[in-house]
Structures are given as structure tokens and as C-alpha cells.
Amino acid sequence: MKLMPCPLNGPRNITEFIYGGPVVAEPDQNACTDREWTDFLFMEPGHAGVAREWWCHAATAYWFIAERDMVSDEIIRTYPAAELFADRKGDP
Amino acid sequence: MSARLPDPAGALIDRGRPIAFTFEGRDYPGYEGDTLASALWANEVRTLSRSFKYHRRRGVLTMAGQDANTLVQVGPSPNVPADRLALSPGLAASAVNTWGGVERDLWSVIGRLGRFLPAGFYYKSFFRPRWAWPLWEPVLRRVAGLGRVDTGAAHGDYDKQYMFADVAVIGAGPAGLAAADAAAAAGAEVVLIDENARLGGSLDYARVSGDVRARLVDAVAAQPAITVMTDTTCNGCFADNWLALIHGNRMIKLRAKAIVLASGSMEQPVVFRDNDLPGIMLGTAAQRLIRLYGVRPGRRAVVLCANGDGYGVALDLIEAGVTVACVADLRDAPGADARMEEVRARGVPLRPGATVREAVAGRDGTLSGALVAQVTGRGICAAPGERFECDLIAMSAGYMPTGALACHAGGRMVYDDTCHTFRVADAPHGMTLAGSVAGVHDLDAVVADGRAAGARAAGGDGGPAREPDDAGLNHPWPIFSHAGGHDFVDFDEDLQVKDIRDAVAEGYDHIELAKRFSTATMGPSQGRHSLLPTARLVAEATMGEVGATTARPPFAAETFGHLAGRAFEPVRRTAMHARHVEAGARMMPAGMWMRPAYYRPKHRREACIVEEVAAVRENVGLIDVSTLGGIEIRGPDAAEFMNRVYTFAYLKQPVGRGRYVLMTDRTGVIIDDGVACRFAEDHFYVTATTSGVDAVYRAMLWHNAQWRLAVDVTHVSAAYAAVNIAGPESRGVLAPLCADVDISAEAFPYMGVREGRVAGIPARLLRVGFVGELGFEIHVPAHAGEALWDALMEAGRGRGIRPFGVEAQRLLRLEKGHIIIGQDTDGLTHPLEADMAWAISRKKPYFVGKRAIALHEKVGLTRKMVGFEIGDAASLPEECHLVVRGAEITGRVTSAATSPTLGRVIGLAYVAPDQSEIGNTFTVKIAGGKLVEARVVKLPFYDPDGRRQEM
């Protein structure tokens, strides 16, 4: 079974984690086109390269970000979400 | 008759402990330490099973549990390898796959029809004409297949264990023993795993001089950091060094920081006519019989070899009292080898450049002779050959690395054209190969290689791995096909040379395709002896490279019991669980929880539920709602956070008031609902559905990982026990218990929330219309749940308070038209089609799902949820019965029940938008295909103005 190096809990079995989808910037709901919004909802990146993904350690409900090679399935790096989302997000 | 050798032969057997057992109904003697196969061979029982397809006699091939020739039935257990099955007193085994016993198997007639049963015959036969298959199927199922499954077998006790190690060493032969010792010496915690009962691997049975085994085993025993696991098979190697070990009835999941794979190699058979007769075995099998079990493998032997090890086998046989009639060496010019000179000196006829062309069966169907012929070209030999009488042919023509575990985790088998063997390539990160699995065969080199690998796995400096030294061990083409066939490539599936060639000729011109068409390598032994010849034959026929099939777990057979482990289904119980049981409640699972379905006798189920509903509507009822989810949201941004995660508006929600919450996801689909209680400007307490709260909590945290609002979100479901006391008399019951909270209608209006004490217990009180009557939801610390329950039951005794269960709750809530998330909604339901537009605040700049709901609005509805009634009380639809309009399906029923309060059938259903007008009728197809007319009515069904809950 794969190990996930959780930034909070250290290496744990992958079954303790929940995949949360790719990290994608959310378009402005009130300003974007219908197409931009539906693409955001339903089009997932499928490139052969490094993906940036949300993962949650279920037992501690801790969300973090993992960078994973989608070809080799190697987890390259994990880090707290605060590294990408540092500031309070006001109303769009 | 006994083939038992005198002491000291037989390292594993204890001659002081005889054991009686039966095989095929006959009694035999054996010894403690024997396997079933060794004991039978000692009794000169040579036919242990019948083959899968042609029902040919089969005997010992490997003595290592690596072949399918020795599969037997033991009680309810089918297909147990007899050469791994320890003899035990009273053991009763029988051969598999026979009709009338292994000696006179009536199905063996099929063997004579062999030429009509080529590879893939069942793909081509039997399926045409179609009506014939049902006639063939029972016959084929009876003829094919191995052991019998006993569906009445008793449950076994299986369990699972987790282990951790710095270094896992798989295989306790010379390489593994040395590796374990070196790894432990370098400071690692080591687990040493071997499938055999005894440490030593090949040192236990091969012709080894000196005391290498004793030295290595003693060194391992002296290392306290080594955990030795014998009788343990490593059945799978998965990502990040996760190993599945099978030991008895236990599966052990071992996580290692590093793995040393010292699984050795498997000797390979030679292909010639009738090479499957009982008495034809690998050289190592003969050595195992002699050294491990003290059994003489035969009386008169022909040794067929292609390397020096075969001469070692010949010497072992001679020393065990076997007459070696001849050594046929496939090589024209064997190099200098001391063992060969010794065999020559013993006067054994040597035939260099020769092979066994054909084995000859005696009257009893087992081996009685060999035709030894000169090899005249690749795979060709001269006819007719020189006849030697023999009851044993020992084959030593090369090895195959036991690399399956490396392949499980991403490694590959690659053919080495120079040494004519497979090599493991791309072994997974963290795994080191050592010993003959890595092509290192010289014993000193193997020990040194193991030592280096062990030290490196432990993070030390072990020096470089040894280079493969197996040039000259494997013959390039030990395949001598015969016009008459019976030249078996795969013993498991009775596949002959022509079957493989035919498969390629049919167009299956890749090893993976030829495998699937012919079934070569797909039998119980998983290609351990058939992959090499199959791969060579496919490569020859396609003039391509020698490719390997893909090895997948498990390495050896494992039972469903191993996979299932113990039955373990934990449930959660509320603080009041004991009270429900005492009151005679029928408990039912609700998500992870147990909840009362209804109270008192089972045979009065319907009546109990109706009585409970009536108690709530007319008097007072009490229900345990501790399973509701609870989430605390605190902080300066609490209201802003609520405003974003739920569809309603919360910025201006007054302190002391509750408000309905509806959660949608980014696609606008309803995912949860509940009530938000505002206890302070910066403090909300939100309820969530029992099964949804975990996901809701996770979603909240995920959103705020991005929003970074100043809030604390805490999951407190388990911290609170809760009840709902409902009914016209509920205020009267509750009031005397509330010293510091005024619960009068004026002071505590509908949808108010309060904090205070109930029966002296700190509590949160919510005036919600849970079941549509005057009612109070009371949340208290979980430890006080039972005390609260007792206090309320006691206070309500004079008024006839009655506990009610989930069944009554569902009826009561359906009467009020409340939807159940997940039952009345599905993975596509958005608020507009659920008629919940009222729960959406359109003025808010942002909430999760806002844009998607707007898009749904723009596109228009494709279905609409409505309340319906059915006049005919006998026509009660079930959930998921279809709403139909002619041939068209326009929707489905999501909830339906006969309302005790209203006395008619009510329910919720999705219908087409044009069917959703109040008063419209639609058709439901109920059980038995009956079409029933339903009428759309306004929701709620009961007390439409909500007067009763606002009393």
C-alpha cells in the first residue's frame, strides 16, 4: 500500500486519505462566462506530468497539497495549503 | 515396500514419531516432519493426482510446493499441495480431479482424445449451436477443474496482523541468512521470512560441503534484532515496500523500509515425450526427498542434465543407494567438473550431447524406462535412442529466478540471450536482490552477495552486489518436441509444444496473447516451470525476442479467509442506547449508528409505529436524536463563513434564533441540511445529517483552507447527546425541568434557540418543527444523555409520554413534507427541482453552488419534486417505483407511506415539470406492474399552515 507523507502526521497509509481533486483557481462566479464555469467544474487536467492535488487526512481532517507525478504515481512533495493560500479571501 | 532411507538421511523427519494417515481411502505410515507427498513417495505411491485436462498420472515434480502435480483434497480444503502439507495424525487426503479414484480414473479416456482437444478448443467447440452449451456445461464442469468446494464447510478463524521492519529479508537460504545477519549487524530491525519450516533454503537439500548452513543459522539466531518467520509465504509485494505474508490462518501486512529479495531460483524441467510420467522430477526434488525426508526417490535412475549440478544429483542418488543407469548431458562438451569425474569414476555410463528423447511408461502407468538419444541439432535428436530401464529421471537443465515479488511492485523479467535465462530488471525502489534470484549461484559469492545486500538495505556500506555467474547453467533449448506429442510444456494445463506453436500460428503472436489463448502459465503453478519454455517457443515461432508474462499477486494460493480476516463491523451507540434496549426497542443501523426503529414487540411492528405517531400528534413523544451531526463555528468571520457555505443568509440572523441550512456543492447539488443556531455574534452551532456530517465538516475545512476566514470549525457530533420531545403536551412535560430557561410560547418562540439547564444538565434548546408539532430539541453533553432521557421520561410519566423510533419519525416527517437528503435527493438534485428555491439567498455575492444554481435556472427544469396522494389505500408504491407516461419514464417515487394521521397514501416523487402542477395526476407503476393514479398535492400534507409546531 502506498504511503502518503502528510505534512501534519508524517507518512501514513494512503487509505487514511481522501483525494480532493486538482488544485485549480476558482473563477469569479459572478463575472466568468458559463463555459468558464462549467470547464472549471468538469474539466480535470490529465497531462502526463506533475499534478498539484488536494488531499485530506481523514482521521485528523487535515487538508494539504501534494505534488504527484501522474506517470510514475510518485508523490514528489507535500505541504500545508497555507503555502498557496496565505491571505484571507474577501468576497469576489 | 518402503523407500525410506536409513538414518541420518531426512533432516526434517522424526523417526521416533510415526504417524498413520490415509490417502484415497488406504492406510499408510509416515513420520512427524513428513509432508503428505514425501510420506506417499516413501510408501512407493507414485501417482498423486490426475492432470487437469487429460487426466494423466502425475507424481512428484518439485517437492517444494511449486507445481500442480501434487494437489490433493483434504476435507473441505481443495487443491492443497501435498508437498507442503505437513503430515498429521489421522490425515485423510484424496486426489483431485478423478472419477473413480486416482488409480483407475475413468476420465483418463480423455487423454486418448488429446489430439482432438487442441489449445483453445473450448473457444471453438461447444458454443455452436448455442442451444448445445447448456448440455455441455455440466459435463465440462465435472471433467475440468480440480478440487471440490465444500459449501457447507465450517467457518475458520482467520485474522490479520500489522508488522513493521527496517529490513524485510524474503528467503532464508544462504543469501537471505547472510543478508539478515549483515542488516542486523548494521543496526536494523530485521524480519526474515521463509515459506519452509526450517531455515537454510538450498543448504538444506543441495550437495554442499562444510557447515555453511550451521554457521549462517547460528549467526542469525545470535542476532536479537532478527525476527524469524518460518512457514510464512510472502504472497505479494506492493507499493512502498508493503508485503503480504501468509502464516497459517493469518495474513500479516508488513511495512519495511527496505527489502532484500533472496527468494532464490527454481530448477526447470526438460521438454520431451511423456516428460510428465510419475518418476520424472527435478534434480532438486530428488535431493529434497533424500536430504529432507530420507526418502529414496527411485531404484534406478537416469539423470538428464545440462550443468554440473546434475552430476551432484547423480552422486547424491548413488550415495542414497539408487542405481544411476546413465547421465545424459545435453551439452556436447561439458567443461571440467570434479563432480562429473567422480560420477565417471563410479562407473556410471555418461552420454554427453544426449537427451532423453522419450520416457516409457510401465504397466502401472508410471515411469519404467528412458530412450536416450544423441542431440543432433537445436531441439532435434536421433531416433530411436538407447533404452535404459529406470523408475526415476532427475532433470537438471537450468534455473529460473524466483522474481515474481519484484514484478508485483513494478519489476520486469528480461531475457538474457547470453546466459539463456531471465533476469529481474527495474526492481522497485527500496528492494535489493541477492543470491540466485540475481543470477549469483556460486555459494561463496551468494553469501557475500547476501551480506552486501543486507548491509546496504540497513543503510550501511555493504560494497557492490556480485555479478551474475550463471553462464553455463541454463541450456539454451532443452525442448525436444515429438511428433507423437505428450511433450508437455505446462503440466498444470496439459499443454504440449504444438499447443504453443498452434497458438502463435492462429495469430496470438505475443507471449501475453499466446498465454491467454493457450492458458499456458495460467494454472496453479503460475508458470514457474512453463514460462521459460513457453516464452522460448513463442520467440522461436515469431522470430522475436523472448518475452515474459506479467507476474501478479498472489505468489501462492491464498484463501478467501485470508483476505477477509475477522468479521469486524463496529457500530456506534448513543448515550441512551441501554435505555432503548430496556424499553424493548428494535434497533436498526443508521449509518454507523444503531437507532431504535420502534419500541416493543416485533409482531406488532405496524401497530407500534402507528401508536408512536399518534402519541406525538396527540400527546407527547420522545426520540433520541444523538446521531445528528453537530459542528461548532466560532470566530469573527463565523457569519461570513456560514453565508458562504450554506445557501441561505446568515449575516443578519439574530442571536438566539435558529435558521434552516441547505448546503450545495459547486455543481449546485444538494449535499446536506440542518439547523444553524446562533448563540453569539461569533458563534454558530450547526446540525448536519447523521451520515453527511463527516463530509460536511471536511468540505467546510477544505473551503476555508482556501478562504482563510477567521473561524474555528469543530466537529462535535460525538460530544453531544440529543433528544427531541414533541407533541402538544411537550411544553408541559419540559417546563418543570427548566429552572433557568423560560420556555413559554412568548419567551421562546418557534425557531428560537436557548442555552440553559434542563434537569440541572447544561443544555442547548432548539425550538424546531422536527416532526411538525410543538417540540424542543435538547442537546446536552454526551455523558449526561442518559440522565436527560431518564429525567424527561420521569417528568412525562403522568402525561403518558412515549418514546418513538426512526420508523415513526420518518412517517411524521413525511407528513410534513420534509425531504431526507440522500433518499429524496440523489447525486444530481439541485434546490430548484426539489422546490427549495425559498432556501436560497440570491442577494448574497457568493455561496458555494451559486453559479451552478443560476445555470440550472437558465437551462430550465428537467424534473420536479412533488408531494402526491393516492386514493386507493391498497396501492402503496415503494421507493424507486417509476412514474410513467405511456412508454416514457418521467420520474420515480422517492418516499411513500400510508399516513396514519391522514389515513391515505402519501409520498414524494420526481415527475416531469409539466406534471408538477397542484391537482395534476400522474401514473406510478407499482409492484406487479400495476398502474396507479397519483395526484399532485400541496406540501406539507399535514398542518399546511404550521400552526401546531408554532403553538
Side-chain angles (χ1 to χ4, degrees), chain B residues 735-905:
Chain B
L737 299 178
C738 299
D740 59 354
V741 186
D742 182 353
I743 65 163
S744 67
E746 303 73 41
F748 191 4
Y750 179 65
M751 288 312 279
V753 296
R754 297 287 182 272
E755 286 180 295
R757 286 178 180 272
V758 176
I761 302 162
R764 289 172 171 172
L765 291 92
L766 288 56
R767 253 207 81 180
V768 290
F770 184 60
V771 292
E773 299 293 338
L774 169 66
F776 302 86
E777 205 164 285
I778 307 165
H779 296 231
V780 298
H783 66 83
E786 198 174 87
L788 176 73
W789 181 269
D790 290 346
L792 288 167
M793 288 299 289
E794 179 59 29
R797 190 146 55 143
R799 295 174 197 262
I801 193 170
R802 181 163 183 156
F804 65 104
V806 177
E807 298 282 7
Q809 173 201 306
R810 286 189 178 159
L811 269 172
L812 290 160
R813 285 181 59 80
L814 180 60
E815 288 175 349
K816 287 297 292 179
H818 292 309
I819 61 164
I820 300 174
I821 308 290
Q823 167 152 340
D824 300 305
T825 70
D826 56 36
L828 293 171
T829 308
H830 56 80
L832 304 176
E833 63 185 24
D835 207 12
M836 298 183 83
W838 56 269
I840 298 165
S841 166
R842 289 157 198 277
K843 292 187 198 132
K844 290 198 290 188
Y846 182 94
F847 65 87
V848 177
K850 183 186 181 196
R851 181 60 181 267
I853 292 169
L855 280 170
H856 280 303
E857 196 155 31
K858 191 166 155 184
V859 170
L861 292 181
T862 55
R863 61 178 182 171
K864 183 95 191 269
M865 171 162 286
V866 296
F868 68 84
E869 288 182 354
I870 291 171
D872 176 11
S875 299
L876 177 63
E878 289 166 34
E879 291 149 24
C880 279
H881 278 171
L882 297 178
V883 176
V884 295
R885 178 161 56 189
E888 183 193 7
I889 297 167
T890 61
R892 65 185 168 87
V893 173
T894 60
S895 291
T898 305
S899 161
T901 314
L902 305 170
R904 51 184 185 266
V905 172

Side-chain angles (χ1 to χ4, degrees), chain B residues 548-610:
Chain B
T549 57
T550 308
R552 297 186 180 85
F555 176 70
E558 61 196 13
T559 66
F560 285 127
H562 284 124
L563 301 176
R566 288 186 191 183
F568 179 57
E569 291 174 38
V571 291
R572 301 177 75 175
R573 293 174 171 183
T574 72
M576 296 78 119
H577 185 87
R579 291 291 182 264
H580 304 319
V581 173
E582 286 160 21
R586 304 287 156 184
M587 304 301 288
M588 61 178 268
M592 294 288 284
W593 295 87
M594 293 304 288
R595 293 193 70 187
Y598 56 93
Y599 291 78
R600 291 189 281 272
K602 195 174 180 180
H603 66 273
R604 294 189 61 236
R605 180 178 180 277
E606 303 301 328
C608 285
I609 296 166
V610 169

Side-chain angles (χ1 to χ4, degrees), chain B residues 220-292:
Chain B
V220 163
Q223 291 279 9
I226 299 176
T227 304
V228 172
M229 300 186 68
T230 47
D231 286 317
T232 304
T233 306
C234 183
N235 246 4
C237 178
F238 303 93
D240 293 329
N241 301 339
W242 175 258
L243 300 172
L245 313 179
I246 305 291
H247 176 77
N249 280 2
R250 174 173 292 180
M251 176 184 277
I252 298 151
K253 300 175 182 183
L254 169 64
R255 175 81 71 184
K257 289 183 186 148
I259 297 172
V260 176
L261 185 66
S263 47
S265 51
M266 289 174 290
E267 197 162 44
Q268 297 292 301
V270 180
V271 179
F272 53 86
R273 179 165 164 83
D274 288 323
N275 60 339
D276 64 333
L277 292 178
I280 303 177
M281 66 179 75
L282 301 175
T284 46
Q287 290 176 314
R288 280 179 155 105
L289 279 170
I290 294 168
R291 288 217 170 75
L292 297 181

Side-chain angles (χ1 to χ4, degrees), chain B residues 20-40:
Chain B
F21 68 99
T22 70
F23 179 67
E24 292 276 295
R26 284 191 60 186
D27 296 325
Y28 296 101
Y31 292 120
E32 171 99 25
D34 259 326
T35 62
L36 176 64
S38 67
L40 287 171

Side-chain angles (χ1 to χ4, degrees), chain B residues 129-209:
Chain B
R130 285 183 78 94
W131 56 262
W133 174 246
L135 306 179
W136 281 113
E137 188 183 9
V139 180
L140 290 174
R141 289 208 187 283
R142 172 120 193 244
V143 177
L146 296 170
R148 298 179 309 276
V149 172
D150 180 357
T151 52
H155 272 280
D157 290 322
Y158 290 85
D159 67 6
K160 297 191 181 178
Q161 181 185 354
Y162 292 90
M163 282 182 78
F164 300 87
D166 293 329
V167 178
V169 179
I170 303 166
L177 289 166
D181 182 28
E189 292 283 333
V190 180
V191 174
L192 175 62
I193 301 145
D194 197 282
E195 62 180 352
N196 297 301
R198 213 168 104 107
L199 298 179
S202 60
L203 297 175
D204 249 347
Y205 60 83
R207 191 174 176 82
V208 182
S209 56

